[in-house]
Amino acid sequence: MQAKYWVLGMMMAAALAGCKREEPATPKVGPAERAGREIDKATAKATTELEKANEQLSGAAKETGEQLNKAAGEAGQKLNQATEELGRKVERAGEKMQETARERREEHKEGAGH
């Protein structure tokens, strides 16, 4: 019976030894291939960096546009306020001119009547 187990053990050991996996031979990489791989890596990195920069630039442009719109809105409001104030001043000046003209007419009438 021991011989039977011994033979079985030997067969298993032989089977396991035969299952040893051989690694495929890696071909040697030449300088041109290495340079090509480095160029590929650098290109991928540059593309990523450009995409990030583009996103940042787009965000900055959007923010600047919003700030310009806000500033234009505020400038428009201030211009409207200044226009209204100028209109009030012109109206007061016109009223003063009319009042002065009335006074002169009255003085002229009074001076003509004497």
Side-chain angles (χ1 to χ4, degrees):
M1 175 101 37
Q2 282 184 339
K4 186 177 183 184
Y5 288 115
W6 185 82
V7 172
L8 184 61
M10 292 302 282
M11 288 177 63
M12 288 180 72
L16 288 174
C19 288
K20 182 178 178 186
R21 198 169 159 190
E22 289 187 30
E23 295 295 319
T26 54
K28 284 190 172 184
V29 177
E33 181 69 23
R34 277 192 299 257
R37 289 179 184 176
E38 291 300 317
I39 290 171
D40 289 345
K41 287 179 188 177
T43 302
K45 184 176 179 179
T47 300
T48 302
E49 294 299 320
L50 283 173
E51 288 171 352
K52 286 180 187 177
N54 187 31
E55 288 175 16
Q56 291 173 348
L57 184 60
S58 295
K62 181 180 178 184
E63 185 177 327
T64 300
E66 290 171 356
Q67 289 174 350
L68 287 173
N69 286 338
K70 182 180 177 184
E74 290 173 359
Q77 288 176 347
K78 289 180 181 180
L79 181 60
N80 287 341
Q81 290 171 351
T83 302
E84 289 175 12
E85 181 63 27
L86 179 61
R88 285 191 289 273
K89 288 181 179 182
V90 168
E91 189 176 345
R92 277 182 265 164
E95 289 171 356
K96 286 183 180 180
M97 289 173 65
Q98 289 175 357
E99 186 179 326
T100 302
R102 269 189 234 113
E103 289 174 359
R104 296 224 174 149
R105 279 194 303 266
E106 291 296 319
E107 288 174 4
H108 185 60
K109 284 183 187 179
E110 288 177 7
H114 285 280

